[in-house]
Protein backbone atom coordinates (compact mmCIF):
# COMPACT_ATOMS: atom_id res chain seq x y z
CA UNK A 1 0.00 0.00 0.00
CA UNK A 2 1.44 3.35 -0.97
CA UNK A 3 2.45 5.60 1.87
CA UNK A 4 0.10 8.49 2.44
CA UNK A 5 -2.88 7.01 0.63
CA UNK A 6 -5.52 4.33 1.15
CA UNK A 7 -5.58 1.71 -1.58
CA UNK A 8 -9.20 0.70 -1.33
CA UNK A 9 -12.31 0.59 -3.46
CA UNK A 10 -13.96 4.01 -3.63
CA UNK A 11 -17.45 2.46 -3.42
CA UNK A 12 -17.38 -0.32 -0.81
CA UNK A 13 -14.30 1.19 0.94
CA UNK A 14 -12.77 -2.25 1.27
CA UNK A 15 -9.01 -2.70 1.16
CA UNK A 16 -9.58 -6.05 -0.55
CA UNK A 17 -10.54 -5.61 -4.21
CA UNK A 18 -12.92 -8.05 -5.87
CA UNK A 19 -12.04 -8.39 -9.56
CA UNK A 20 -10.66 -4.82 -9.77
CA UNK A 21 -11.45 -2.82 -12.91
CA UNK A 22 -9.48 0.22 -14.14
CA UNK A 23 -11.58 3.06 -15.55
CA UNK A 24 -10.46 5.56 -18.20
CA UNK A 25 -9.93 8.14 -15.43
CA UNK A 26 -7.43 5.73 -13.76
CA UNK A 27 -9.61 5.05 -10.72
CA UNK A 28 -10.00 1.44 -9.63
CA UNK A 29 -13.17 -0.24 -8.28
CA UNK A 30 -14.49 -3.72 -7.59
CA UNK A 31 -16.47 -5.24 -10.44
CA UNK A 32 -19.54 -6.03 -8.23
CA UNK A 33 -19.51 -2.41 -7.03
CA UNK A 34 -19.45 -1.04 -10.58
CA UNK A 35 -22.32 -3.32 -11.55
CA UNK A 36 -24.52 -1.57 -8.96
CA UNK A 37 -24.04 1.88 -10.52
CA UNK A 38 -26.57 3.55 -12.79
CA UNK A 39 -25.88 3.25 -16.52
CA UNK A 40 -27.32 5.89 -18.87
CA UNK A 41 -26.95 5.61 -22.67
CA UNK A 42 -24.33 2.89 -22.19
CA UNK A 43 -22.21 5.35 -20.19
CA UNK A 44 -20.99 5.19 -16.62
CA UNK A 45 -19.74 7.98 -14.35
CA UNK A 46 -16.81 7.55 -11.99
CA UNK A 47 -18.10 7.76 -8.39
CA UNK A 48 -14.97 9.68 -7.35
CA UNK A 49 -14.32 12.25 -10.10
CA UNK A 50 -17.68 12.00 -12.00
CA UNK A 51 -15.88 11.49 -15.32
CA UNK A 52 -18.31 10.02 -17.85
CA UNK A 53 -17.08 7.21 -20.08
CA UNK A 54 -18.59 4.81 -22.60
CA UNK A 55 -18.86 1.12 -21.75
CA UNK A 56 -17.71 -1.66 -24.07
CA UNK A 57 -20.16 -4.02 -25.73
CA UNK A 58 -19.85 -6.47 -22.82
CA UNK A 59 -20.89 -3.74 -20.35
CA UNK A 60 -19.18 -3.23 -17.00
CA UNK A 61 -17.65 -6.72 -17.10
CA UNK A 62 -15.84 -5.75 -20.30
CA UNK A 63 -13.92 -2.92 -18.65
CA UNK A 64 -10.15 -3.16 -18.51
CA UNK A 65 -8.91 -5.32 -15.61
CA UNK A 66 -6.44 -3.65 -13.26
CA UNK A 67 -3.14 -4.58 -14.92
CA UNK A 68 -0.84 -4.25 -11.92
CA UNK A 69 -0.37 -6.23 -8.74
CA UNK A 70 -2.43 -5.14 -5.73
CA UNK A 71 -1.67 -5.98 -2.11
CA UNK A 72 -4.97 -7.83 -1.65
CA UNK A 73 -7.31 -9.11 -4.32
CA UNK A 74 -10.35 -11.29 -3.81
CA UNK A 75 -12.02 -13.52 -6.36
CA UNK A 76 -15.77 -12.98 -6.69
CA UNK A 77 -17.92 -15.20 -4.40
CA UNK A 78 -14.80 -16.34 -2.50
CA UNK A 79 -15.41 -16.75 1.27
CA UNK A 80 -13.16 -14.46 3.30
CA UNK A 81 -12.53 -14.25 7.05
CA UNK A 82 -14.09 -11.27 8.81
CA UNK A 83 -12.43 -9.13 11.46
CA UNK A 84 -13.05 -10.46 14.98
CA UNK A 85 -12.82 -7.06 16.72
CA UNK A 86 -14.99 -4.56 14.83
CA UNK A 87 -18.69 -4.78 14.00
CA UNK A 88 -18.30 -3.56 10.41
CA UNK A 89 -17.64 -7.06 9.04
CA UNK A 90 -14.44 -5.84 7.39
CA UNK A 91 -12.24 -8.39 5.64
CA UNK A 92 -9.44 -9.69 7.85
CA UNK A 93 -5.98 -9.04 6.43
CA UNK A 94 -3.85 -10.05 9.44
CA UNK A 95 -3.95 -12.31 12.48
CA UNK A 96 -2.55 -11.76 15.97
CA UNK A 97 -0.77 -14.99 16.88
CA UNK A 98 -0.86 -14.13 20.59
CA UNK A 99 -4.58 -13.33 20.73
CA UNK A 100 -5.58 -15.80 17.96
CA UNK A 101 -7.70 -12.98 16.50
CA UNK A 102 -8.33 -12.01 12.88
CA UNK A 103 -7.83 -8.29 12.25
CA UNK A 104 -8.81 -5.91 9.48
CA UNK A 105 -6.37 -3.20 8.41
CA UNK A 106 -7.76 -0.58 10.84
CA UNK A 107 -7.92 -2.93 13.82
CA UNK A 108 -4.45 -4.21 12.94
CA UNK A 109 -3.00 -0.70 13.22
CA UNK A 110 -4.95 0.01 16.41
CA UNK A 111 -4.01 -3.36 17.92
CA UNK A 112 -0.35 -2.62 17.36
CA UNK A 113 -0.57 0.73 19.23
CA UNK A 114 -2.15 -0.59 22.45
CA UNK A 115 0.20 -1.00 25.39
CA UNK A 116 -1.16 -4.44 26.14
CA UNK A 117 -0.70 -5.74 22.60
CA UNK A 118 1.99 -3.63 20.95
CA UNK A 119 4.51 -6.46 21.37
CA UNK A 120 2.20 -9.12 19.94
CA UNK A 121 3.16 -10.92 16.74
CA UNK A 122 0.86 -9.91 13.89
CA UNK A 123 1.11 -12.00 10.76
CA UNK A 124 -0.48 -11.08 7.40
CA UNK A 125 -3.06 -13.52 6.09
CA UNK A 126 -2.36 -15.14 2.75
CA UNK A 127 -5.26 -13.73 0.80
CA UNK A 128 -5.58 -14.68 -2.84
CA UNK A 129 -3.22 -12.41 -4.69
CA UNK A 130 -3.70 -10.95 -8.13
CA UNK A 131 -2.62 -13.03 -11.08
CA UNK A 132 1.11 -13.58 -11.02
CA UNK A 133 2.58 -12.55 -14.31
CA UNK A 134 5.70 -14.34 -15.42
CA UNK A 135 6.89 -11.12 -16.95
CA UNK A 136 5.57 -7.70 -16.06
CA UNK A 137 5.68 -4.65 -18.26
CA UNK A 138 8.48 -3.29 -16.09
CA UNK A 139 10.77 -6.23 -16.83
CA UNK A 140 9.84 -7.15 -20.40
CA UNK A 141 12.31 -5.82 -22.93
CA UNK A 142 10.52 -5.44 -26.26
CA UNK A 143 12.61 -6.14 -29.33
CA UNK A 144 12.46 -4.61 -32.79
CA UNK A 145 10.45 -6.68 -35.24
CA UNK A 146 12.72 -5.75 -38.17
CA UNK A 147 16.15 -6.21 -36.59
CA UNK A 148 15.36 -8.31 -33.48
CA UNK A 149 17.36 -5.90 -31.37
CA UNK A 150 16.37 -4.31 -28.09
CA UNK A 151 14.46 -1.03 -28.38
CA UNK A 152 16.73 1.41 -26.61
CA UNK A 153 15.97 4.68 -28.42
CA UNK A 154 12.98 6.98 -28.84
CA UNK A 155 12.28 9.14 -31.90
CA UNK A 156 10.60 12.29 -30.68
CA UNK A 157 9.22 13.54 -34.04
CA UNK A 158 7.75 10.12 -34.85
CA UNK A 159 6.85 9.31 -31.23
CA UNK A 160 8.03 5.72 -31.60
CA UNK A 161 10.55 3.29 -30.08
CA UNK A 162 13.64 2.39 -32.08
CA UNK A 163 16.57 0.06 -32.02
CA UNK A 164 20.00 1.32 -33.01
CA UNK A 165 19.60 0.00 -36.56
CA UNK A 166 16.18 1.63 -37.03
CA UNK A 167 17.67 4.94 -35.91
CA UNK A 168 20.47 4.72 -38.46
CA UNK A 169 18.38 3.36 -41.31
CA UNK A 170 15.02 5.10 -41.07
CA UNK A 171 15.45 8.08 -38.69
CA UNK A 172 18.91 9.46 -39.48
CA UNK A 173 17.96 13.13 -39.25
CA UNK A 174 15.40 12.90 -36.47
CA UNK A 175 15.86 13.85 -32.86
CA UNK A 176 16.50 10.52 -31.10
CA UNK A 177 16.83 10.12 -27.33
CA UNK A 178 18.10 7.37 -25.08
CA UNK A 179 15.05 5.39 -23.98
CA UNK A 180 16.21 4.59 -20.44
CA UNK A 181 17.12 8.23 -19.77
CA UNK A 182 13.83 9.40 -21.26
CA UNK A 183 11.83 6.91 -19.20
CA UNK A 184 13.67 7.90 -16.03
CA UNK A 185 12.95 11.58 -16.76
CA UNK A 186 9.26 10.92 -17.39
CA UNK A 187 8.99 8.69 -14.30
CA UNK A 188 10.53 11.47 -12.24
CA UNK A 189 7.90 13.83 -13.66
CA UNK A 190 5.17 11.46 -12.50
CA UNK A 191 6.87 10.98 -9.12
CA UNK A 192 6.83 14.75 -8.63
CA UNK A 193 3.10 14.70 -9.28
CA UNK A 194 2.66 11.77 -6.89
CA UNK A 195 4.53 13.76 -4.23
CA UNK A 196 2.17 16.68 -4.90
CA UNK A 197 -0.83 14.36 -4.58
CA UNK A 198 0.51 12.99 -1.29
CA UNK A 199 0.96 16.50 0.05
CA UNK A 200 -2.64 17.19 -0.97
CA UNK A 201 -3.78 14.03 0.81
CA UNK A 202 -1.98 15.21 3.95
CA UNK A 203 -3.56 18.64 3.52
CA UNK A 204 -7.00 17.08 3.04
CA UNK A 205 -6.47 14.92 6.11
CA UNK A 206 -5.66 18.01 8.18
CA UNK A 207 -8.69 19.76 6.67
CA UNK A 208 -10.87 16.75 7.48
CA UNK A 209 -9.63 16.80 11.09
CA UNK A 210 -10.41 20.53 11.27
CA UNK A 211 -13.88 19.90 9.85
CA UNK A 212 -14.41 17.08 12.35
CA UNK A 213 -13.39 19.43 15.18
CA UNK A 214 -15.82 22.05 13.87
CA UNK A 215 -18.47 19.36 13.60
CA UNK A 216 -17.94 18.31 17.22
CA UNK A 217 -18.03 21.92 18.42
CA UNK A 218 -21.14 22.57 16.34
CA UNK A 219 -22.79 19.47 17.75
CA UNK A 220 -21.98 20.59 21.30
CA UNK A 221 -23.33 24.06 20.57
CA UNK A 222 -26.55 22.59 19.20
CA UNK A 223 -26.92 20.44 22.34
CA UNK A 224 -26.47 23.52 24.53
CA UNK A 225 -28.96 25.48 22.42
CA UNK A 226 -31.50 22.65 22.62
CA UNK A 227 -31.07 22.54 26.39
CA UNK A 228 -31.64 26.32 26.54
CA UNK A 229 -34.86 25.91 24.53
CA UNK A 230 -36.06 23.18 26.90
CA UNK A 231 -35.28 25.31 29.97
CA UNK A 232 -37.05 28.28 28.39
CA UNK A 233 -40.07 26.08 27.63
CA UNK A 234 -40.18 24.82 31.22
CA UNK A 235 -39.89 28.33 32.65
CA UNK A 236 -42.52 29.64 30.26
CA UNK A 237 -44.85 26.81 31.22
CA UNK A 238 -44.42 27.68 34.89
CA UNK A 239 -45.04 31.38 34.25
CA UNK A 240 -48.09 30.64 32.10
CA UNK A 241 -49.50 28.16 34.61
CA UNK A 242 -49.01 30.55 37.52
CA UNK A 243 -50.52 33.42 35.54
CA UNK A 244 -53.47 31.31 34.42
CA UNK A 245 -54.14 30.17 37.99
CA UNK A 246 -53.92 33.75 39.24
CA UNK A 247 -56.29 35.02 36.55
CA UNK A 248 -58.68 32.13 37.17
CA UNK A 249 -58.83 32.85 40.90
CA UNK A 250 -59.35 36.54 40.24
CA UNK A 251 -62.26 35.86 37.90
CA UNK A 252 -63.76 33.37 40.35
CA UNK A 253 -63.64 36.04 43.09
CA UNK A 254 -65.39 38.50 40.79
CA UNK A 255 -68.11 35.94 40.11
CA UNK A 256 -68.56 35.36 43.85
CA UNK A 257 -68.80 39.11 44.59
CA UNK A 258 -71.41 39.72 41.91
CA UNK A 259 -73.31 36.63 42.94
CA UNK A 260 -73.35 37.79 46.56
CA UNK A 261 -74.83 41.16 45.61
CA UNK A 262 -77.46 39.56 43.39
CA UNK A 263 -78.40 37.05 46.07
CA UNK A 264 -78.97 39.87 48.59
CA UNK A 265 -81.33 41.59 46.18
CA UNK A 266 -83.15 38.29 45.56
CA UNK A 267 -83.51 37.70 49.28
CA UNK A 268 -85.02 41.19 49.70
CA UNK A 269 -87.47 40.50 46.90
CA UNK A 270 -88.41 37.14 48.41
CA UNK A 271 -89.11 38.85 51.72
CA UNK A 272 -91.27 41.43 49.97
CA UNK A 273 -93.21 38.67 48.21
CA UNK A 274 -93.64 36.82 51.50
CA UNK A 275 -94.90 39.96 53.26
CA UNK A 276 -97.31 40.71 50.39
CA UNK A 277 -98.57 37.14 50.54
CA UNK A 278 -99.10 37.32 54.29
CA UNK A 279 -100.91 40.68 53.86
CA UNK A 280 -103.31 39.31 51.31
CA UNK A 281 -103.94 36.19 53.38
CA UNK A 282 -104.80 38.35 56.44
CA UNK A 283 -107.21 40.49 54.41
CA UNK A 284 -108.89 37.41 53.01
CA UNK A 285 -109.36 35.91 56.45
CA UNK A 286 -110.73 39.12 57.94
CA UNK A 287 -113.04 39.81 55.00
CA UNK A 288 -114.42 36.28 55.05
CA UNK A 289 -115.13 36.48 58.81
CA UNK A 290 -116.64 39.90 58.30
CA UNK A 291 -119.00 38.51 55.73
CA UNK A 292 -119.96 35.45 57.68
CA UNK A 293 -120.00 36.60 61.26
CA UNK A 294 -120.83 40.32 61.42
CA UNK A 295 -124.38 41.51 62.18
CA UNK A 296 -126.40 43.23 59.60
CA UNK A 297 -126.01 46.55 61.23
CA UNK A 298 -122.28 46.11 61.70
CA UNK A 299 -121.86 44.82 58.16
CA UNK A 300 -123.56 47.89 56.71
CA UNK A 301 -121.55 50.20 58.86
CA UNK A 302 -118.17 48.59 58.09
CA UNK A 303 -118.84 47.72 54.48
CA UNK A 304 -117.63 51.01 52.93
CA UNK A 305 -114.44 50.97 54.96
CA UNK A 306 -113.59 47.35 54.15
CA UNK A 307 -114.54 47.79 50.53
CA UNK A 308 -112.28 50.83 50.09
CA UNK A 309 -109.43 48.95 51.78
CA UNK A 310 -109.79 45.99 49.51
CA UNK A 311 -110.00 48.22 46.43
CA UNK A 312 -106.86 50.06 47.43
CA UNK A 313 -105.03 46.77 47.74
CA UNK A 314 -106.36 45.58 44.39
CA UNK A 315 -105.08 48.74 42.74
CA UNK A 316 -101.63 48.15 44.07
CA UNK A 317 -99.19 46.64 41.49
CA UNK A 318 -96.76 43.86 42.20
CA UNK A 319 -93.23 44.80 43.18
CA UNK A 320 -90.70 44.96 40.32
CA UNK A 321 -88.32 42.00 40.04
CA UNK A 322 -84.85 43.10 41.08
CA UNK A 323 -82.32 43.53 38.26
CA UNK A 324 -79.67 40.74 38.05
CA UNK A 325 -76.16 40.82 36.54
CA UNK A 326 -75.70 38.91 33.27
CA UNK A 327 -72.44 37.11 33.93
CA UNK A 328 -70.18 35.91 31.12
CA UNK A 329 -66.55 35.05 30.30
CA UNK A 330 -64.81 36.64 27.31
CA UNK A 331 -61.38 35.65 25.92
CA UNK A 332 -59.31 35.86 22.73
CA UNK A 333 -58.67 32.73 20.72
CA UNK A 334 -55.25 31.26 21.54
CA UNK A 335 -53.54 30.10 18.31
CA UNK A 336 -50.15 28.57 17.66
CA UNK A 337 -48.95 31.87 16.21
CA UNK A 338 -49.86 33.70 19.44
CA UNK A 339 -48.05 31.11 21.54
CA UNK A 340 -45.05 31.15 19.14
CA UNK A 341 -44.86 34.93 19.46
CA UNK A 342 -44.75 34.57 23.24
CA UNK A 343 -42.45 31.53 23.18
CA UNK A 344 -40.04 32.84 20.54
CA UNK A 345 -38.29 30.86 17.77
CA UNK A 346 -34.84 29.73 16.71
CA UNK A 347 -33.21 31.94 14.08
CA UNK A 348 -30.40 30.92 11.73
CA UNK A 349 -28.22 33.37 9.83
CA UNK A 350 -25.33 32.38 7.58
CA UNK A 351 -21.89 33.26 8.84
CA UNK A 352 -19.40 34.96 6.61
CA UNK A 353 -17.75 32.37 4.41
CA UNK A 354 -14.41 31.28 5.73
CA UNK A 355 -11.34 31.33 3.56
CA UNK A 356 -11.32 28.63 0.90
CA UNK A 357 -8.66 25.98 1.61
CA UNK A 358 -5.80 26.18 -0.88
CA UNK A 359 -3.68 23.18 -1.78
CA UNK A 360 0.02 23.50 -0.99
CA UNK A 361 1.90 24.47 -4.13
CA UNK A 362 4.79 22.32 -5.28
CA UNK A 363 6.72 23.08 -8.48
CA UNK A 364 5.64 20.57 -11.12
CA UNK A 365 7.62 20.29 -14.37
CA UNK A 366 5.79 20.27 -17.67
CA UNK A 367 5.13 16.87 -19.21
CA UNK A 368 6.36 17.98 -22.66
CA UNK A 369 3.84 15.76 -24.39
CA UNK A 370 4.08 15.16 -28.10
CA UNK A 371 1.02 16.85 -29.66
CA UNK A 372 -1.33 14.51 -31.42
CA UNK A 373 -2.65 15.54 -34.83
CA UNK A 374 -5.99 14.44 -36.16
CA UNK A 375 -5.90 14.04 -39.93
CA UNK A 376 -8.81 15.25 -42.02
CA UNK A 377 -9.51 13.90 -45.50
CA UNK A 378 -9.04 16.66 -48.11
CA UNK A 379 -8.89 14.77 -51.38
CA UNK A 380 -8.33 11.29 -52.76
CA UNK A 381 -6.39 10.00 -55.79
CA UNK A 382 -4.61 6.77 -56.75
CA UNK A 383 -0.88 6.28 -57.42
CA UNK A 384 0.42 2.78 -58.14
CA UNK A 385 3.59 1.20 -56.75
CA UNK A 386 4.16 3.85 -54.05
CA UNK A 387 7.42 3.32 -52.14
CA UNK A 388 7.45 6.36 -49.89
CA UNK A 389 5.66 9.69 -49.28
CA UNK A 390 6.92 12.89 -47.64
CA UNK A 391 5.02 16.19 -47.26
CA UNK A 392 6.04 19.32 -49.16
CA UNK A 393 4.68 22.86 -49.01
CA UNK A 394 1.30 24.24 -50.16
CA UNK A 395 -0.63 20.96 -49.56
CA UNK A 396 1.76 19.12 -51.93
CA UNK A 397 3.60 15.86 -51.32
CA UNK A 398 6.59 14.04 -52.80
CA UNK A 399 5.68 10.48 -53.78
CA UNK A 400 8.42 7.96 -54.55
CA UNK A 401 7.69 5.25 -57.13
CA UNK A 402 10.18 2.93 -58.86
CA UNK A 403 12.68 5.10 -60.88
CA UNK A 404 10.68 8.31 -60.27
CA UNK A 405 10.23 10.99 -57.60
CA UNK A 406 7.25 13.22 -58.33
CA UNK A 407 5.41 16.03 -56.60
CA UNK A 408 1.62 15.71 -56.41
CA UNK A 409 -0.94 18.28 -55.35
CA UNK A 410 -3.79 17.40 -52.98
CA UNK A 411 -6.04 17.01 -56.04
CA UNK A 412 -3.64 14.46 -57.62
CA UNK A 413 -2.07 16.77 -60.19
CA UNK A 414 1.56 16.04 -61.06
CA UNK A 415 4.22 18.69 -60.62
CA UNK A 416 7.98 18.50 -60.82
CA UNK A 417 9.39 14.98 -61.24
CA UNK A 418 12.88 13.52 -61.28
CA UNK A 419 14.27 10.18 -62.26
CA UNK A 420 15.95 8.33 -59.40
CA UNK A 421 18.11 5.28 -59.04
CA UNK A 422 16.00 2.08 -59.23
CA UNK A 423 17.45 0.91 -55.90
CA UNK A 424 16.21 3.96 -54.00
CA UNK A 425 13.30 2.85 -51.83
CA UNK A 426 13.05 5.71 -49.32
CA UNK A 427 13.59 9.42 -48.82
CA UNK A 428 13.45 11.61 -45.75
CA UNK A 429 11.97 15.12 -45.49
CA UNK A 430 14.54 17.68 -44.37
CA UNK A 431 12.29 20.74 -44.74
CA UNK A 432 9.38 21.95 -46.84
CA UNK A 433 11.73 22.16 -49.89
CA UNK A 434 14.43 19.58 -49.13
CA UNK A 435 14.41 15.79 -49.10
CA UNK A 436 17.10 13.15 -48.65
CA UNK A 437 17.36 10.19 -51.08
CA UNK A 438 18.78 7.00 -49.57
CA UNK A 439 20.63 4.38 -51.66
CA UNK A 440 22.15 1.78 -49.37
CA UNK A 441 25.30 3.37 -47.90
CA UNK A 442 25.34 6.02 -50.64
CA UNK A 443 23.67 9.39 -50.62
CA UNK A 444 22.16 10.68 -53.87
CA UNK A 445 22.19 14.45 -54.08
CA UNK A 446 20.34 16.45 -56.72
CA UNK A 447 20.98 20.17 -56.75
CA UNK A 448 19.78 22.38 -59.59
CA UNK A 449 19.75 19.67 -62.29
CA UNK A 450 23.21 18.40 -61.26
CA UNK A 451 23.31 14.81 -60.03
CA UNK A 452 26.17 13.95 -57.67
CA UNK A 453 26.93 10.45 -56.36
CA UNK A 454 28.72 10.48 -53.03
CA UNK A 455 30.12 7.06 -52.19
CA UNK A 456 31.70 5.51 -49.08
CA UNK A 457 29.59 7.61 -46.76
CA UNK A 458 27.22 5.95 -44.33
CA UNK A 459 24.25 7.47 -42.58
CA UNK A 460 25.98 7.00 -39.26
CA UNK A 461 28.40 9.75 -40.27
CA UNK A 462 25.40 12.13 -40.22
CA UNK A 463 25.95 13.22 -43.81
CA UNK A 464 23.29 15.76 -44.72
CA UNK A 465 22.29 15.99 -48.36
CA UNK A 466 19.25 17.52 -49.91
CA UNK A 467 17.23 17.77 -53.07
CA UNK A 468 16.18 21.35 -53.72
CA UNK A 469 12.87 21.50 -55.52
CA UNK A 470 12.80 23.55 -58.70
CA UNK A 471 9.71 25.69 -59.07
Amino acid sequence: MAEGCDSKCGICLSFVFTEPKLLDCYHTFCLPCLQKLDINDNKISCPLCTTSMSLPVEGVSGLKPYPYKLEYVKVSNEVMDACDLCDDQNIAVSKCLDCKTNLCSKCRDYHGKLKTSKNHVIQPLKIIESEKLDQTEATVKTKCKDHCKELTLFCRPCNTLLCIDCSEEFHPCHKVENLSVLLQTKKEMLLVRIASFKSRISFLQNTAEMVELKENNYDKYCLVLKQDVKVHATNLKDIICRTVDKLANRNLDIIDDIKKKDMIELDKYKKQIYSEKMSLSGLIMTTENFINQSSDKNFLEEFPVIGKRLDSILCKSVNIFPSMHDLGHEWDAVSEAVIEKIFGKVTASEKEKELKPIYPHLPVPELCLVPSHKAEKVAEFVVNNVLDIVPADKNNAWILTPNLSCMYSSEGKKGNSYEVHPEIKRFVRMSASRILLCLGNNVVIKKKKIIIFATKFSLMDCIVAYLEMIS
Side-chain angles (χ1 to χ4, degrees):
M1 187 180 299
E3 182 182 359
C5 62
D6 294 329
S7 299
K8 57 184 177 181
C9 175
I11 299 177
C12 65
L13 304 181
S14 173
F15 289 96
V16 182
F17 284 89
T18 302
E19 299 185 43
K21 294 290 184 179
L22 181 65
L23 302 185
D24 294 343
C25 58
Y26 290 92
H27 287 134
T28 307
F29 303 94
C30 301
L31 174 60
C33 296
L34 291 175
Q35 291 174 337
K36 297 177 183 178
L37 299 180
D38 295 332
I39 300 176
N40 298 319
D41 297 331
N42 201 36
K43 289 185 178 181
I44 192 172
S45 297
C46 175
L48 294 180
C49 64
T50 67
T51 300
S52 179
M53 61 204 74
S54 299
L55 292 175
V57 179
E58 299 84 358
V60 176
S61 59
L63 290 172
K64 180 182 178 181
Y66 191 76
Y68 310 109
K69 182 180 179 180
L70 292 170
E71 184 176 359
Y72 300 115
V73 177
K74 174 178 176 287
V75 179
S76 182
N77 300 326
E78 183 72 15
V79 178
M80 308 292 290
D81 293 330
C83 178
D84 294 331
L85 291 186
C86 62
D87 297 330
D88 298 334
Q89 295 297 315
N90 291 328
I91 301 299
V93 297
S94 302
K95 184 173 184 178
C96 178
L97 300 182
D98 296 277
C99 301
K100 309 296 181 183
T101 304
N102 292 328
L103 306 171
C104 64
S105 57
K106 293 183 180 179
C107 294
R108 173 195 61 191
D109 298 338
Y110 182 74
H111 194 69
K113 294 179 181 179
L114 294 175
K115 292 183 179 180
T116 56
S117 58
K118 66 179 181 179
N119 295 324
H120 288 189
V121 178
I122 299 177
Q123 181 178 355
L125 293 176
K126 292 184 178 181
I127 298 180
I128 300 176
E129 298 179 351
S130 57
E131 297 180 358
K132 296 182 179 179
L133 302 177
D134 295 336
Q135 291 181 327
T136 62
E137 293 183 5
T139 58
V140 171
K141 301 295 183 180
T142 309
K143 292 186 177 181
C144 174
K145 295 180 180 179
D146 297 330
H147 304 97
C148 295
K149 290 187 177 181
E150 184 179 340
L151 299 175
T152 58
L153 302 175
F154 177 78
C155 178
R156 184 171 289 276
C158 300
N159 194 27
T160 184
L161 300 179
L162 307 172
C163 68
I164 186 66
D165 291 345
C166 288
S167 175
E168 296 174 356
E169 184 176 353
F170 303 119
H171 304 259
C173 301
H174 290 185
K175 184 178 180 180
V176 178
E177 301 181 29
N178 184 283
L179 181 60
S180 60
V181 175
L182 179 64
L183 290 177
Q184 182 62 29
T185 302
K186 291 185 176 296
K187 288 180 180 179
E188 289 176 357
M189 290 180 180
L190 296 182
L191 289 174
V192 170
R193 284 159 173 79
I194 290 177
S196 179
F197 284 169
K198 288 184 178 182
S199 67
R200 289 191 174 196
I201 289 177
S202 178
F203 173 79
L204 291 175
Q205 180 62 31
N206 295 335
T207 305
E209 292 175 358
M210 180 184 67
V211 172
E212 185 175 356
L213 179 62
K214 287 182 174 293
E215 183 181 11
N216 293 334
N217 293 337
Y218 186 69
D219 183 63
K220 292 179 181 178
Y221 175 77
C222 289
L223 290 176
V224 172
L225 184 60
K226 289 172 66 177
Q227 187 64 29
D228 292 343
V229 172
K230 291 180 180 179
V231 172
H232 174 65
T234 302
N235 295 335
L236 187 59
K237 286 179 182 179
D238 293 340
I239 294 173
I240 291 176
C241 289
R242 289 196 301 269
T243 304
V244 169
D245 291 341
K246 183 177 180 180
L247 293 175
N249 293 330
R250 182 185 300 172
N251 281 271
L252 293 176
D253 291 341
I254 293 174
I255 293 174
D256 289 339
D257 292 341
I258 295 175
K259 175 187 174 182
K260 184 178 180 180
K261 293 179 180 179
D262 288 342
M263 294 302 292
I264 292 173
E265 293 297 325
L266 288 175
D267 288 341
K268 290 181 179 179
Y269 187 68
K270 285 171 62 177
K271 289 179 179 179
Q272 291 176 2
I273 292 174
Y274 183 75
S275 298
E276 186 70 21
K277 180 182 176 183
M278 292 296 293
S279 174
L280 294 175
S281 298
L283 289 174
I284 291 172
M285 181 187 68
T286 302
T287 302
E288 287 179 349
N289 291 332
F290 173 72
I291 294 172
N292 297 322
Q293 296 180 18
S294 64
S295 62
D296 295 337
K297 183 181 179 182
N298 188 36
F299 180 83
L300 292 175
E301 290 177 356
E302 296 291 334
F303 175 79
V305 178
I306 293 176
K308 289 181 180 180
R309 176 61 180 168
L310 294 178
D311 289 342
S312 64
I313 296 299
L314 289 175
C315 293
K316 185 179 179 181
S317 62
V318 66
N319 291 333
I320 300 174
F321 191 87
S323 61
M324 305 289 293
H325 291 88
D326 188 10
L327 295 176
H329 186 209
E330 297 178 355
W331 66 86
D332 293 332
V334 180
S335 62
E336 183 177 348
V338 174
I339 297 177
E340 182 181 7
K341 187 176 181 180
I342 299 173
F343 183 83
K345 60 182 178 180
V346 175
T347 59
S349 59
E350 292 187 3
K351 291 184 178 180
E352 295 183 2
K353 292 185 178 179
E354 299 180 1
L355 295 178
K356 181 181 179 181
I358 301 177
Y359 282 124
H361 176 71
L362 295 179
V364 179
E366 295 291 336
L367 289 177
C368 301
L369 299 177
V370 178
S372 58
H373 302 282
K374 184 177 181 181
E376 295 183 0
K377 183 177 179 180
V378 177
E380 181 179 0
F381 58 92
V382 179
V383 178
N384 296 323
N385 301 323
V386 175
L387 299 177
D388 201 0
I389 300 176
V390 293
D393 56 355
K394 298 179 181 179
N395 290 331
N396 297 327
W398 284 98
I399 298 180
L400 179 64
T401 57
N403 302 320
L404 186 65
S405 174
C406 183
M407 180 181 288
Y408 285 85
S409 67
S410 58
E411 292 80 14
K413 296 180 180 180
K414 285 186 178 183
N416 297 330
S417 61
Y418 306 96
E419 292 184 0
V420 297
H421 193 281
E423 296 297 327
I424 292 179
K425 306 295 183 183
R426 179 176 175 81
F427 49 22
V428 178
R429 182 179 187 270
M430 298 294 294
S431 67
S433 61
R434 298 174 182 178
I435 57 175
L436 174 69
L437 303 177
C438 303
L439 177 60
N441 290 332
N442 298 326
V443 177
V444 179
I445 306 172
K446 181 176 179 64
K447 182 177 182 182
K448 295 186 183 296
K449 298 184 180 180
I450 300 175
I451 299 178
I452 304 173
F453 287 92
T455 59
K456 297 183 181 179
F457 290 99
S458 67
L459 297 178
M460 291 185 63
D461 296 327
C462 297
I463 301 299
V464 178
Y466 63 89
L467 169 61
E468 183 173 344
M469 296 182 294
I470 302 174
S471 59

